[in-house]
Amino acid sequence: MKISNVRIYRVEGGGLRPVIIEIETDEGISGFGEAGVAYGYGAPAVAGMLEDMALRLSGRNPLEIRRIWQDLYDQSFWAKGGRGDILCGNQRH
């Protein structure tokens, strides 16, 4: 099974601005996630960053979550030394 498509949705309503990501596989399995920015003005930046990251997902095994997470983390300046809220997940710094 491989990731075949990634879609990013910017949603607005009720004062919220969540960014939703949909990942599809070549076997017809798909899943959704939320980028975590639902308030304020960060949604366009988050959506743009997800679009860049989506390029690194195509063809990958979606079950290798830890390996994919680490790769995306390693390729993001702001998640590392910049101390932003990007890709923080359950990691402790």
Side-chain angles (χ1 to χ4, degrees):
M1 175 169 34
K2 298 198 182 295
I3 295 173
S4 60
N5 195 25
V6 178
R7 290 190 178 103
I8 297 151
Y9 305 98
R10 287 180 49 199
V11 182
E12 279 196 47
L16 300 176
R17 295 184 178 107
V19 178
I20 308 298
I21 185 167
E22 178 184 15
I23 296 177
E24 299 174 335
T25 70
D26 59 353
E27 293 185 13
I29 299 170
S30 63
F32 290 87
E34 183 177 357
V37 173
Y39 303 101
Y41 299 108
V46 170
M49 186 167 193
L50 287 174
E51 288 172 6
D52 289 346
M53 290 178 169
L55 299 173
R56 299 187 70 84
L57 298 178
S58 184
R60 305 225 15 208
N61 180 345
L63 301 178
E64 294 180 343
I65 296 167
R66 187 167 286 206
R67 182 174 285 160
I68 291 171
W69 188 98
Q70 191 67 52
D71 180 42
L72 295 177
Y73 178 79
D74 286 345
Q75 297 303 317
S76 172
F77 167 78
W78 291 110
K80 295 189 110 174
R83 289 289 185 235
D85 291 331
I86 298 165
L87 293 177
C88 289
N90 292 321
Q91 297 294 314
R92 301 278 180 208
H93 300 284

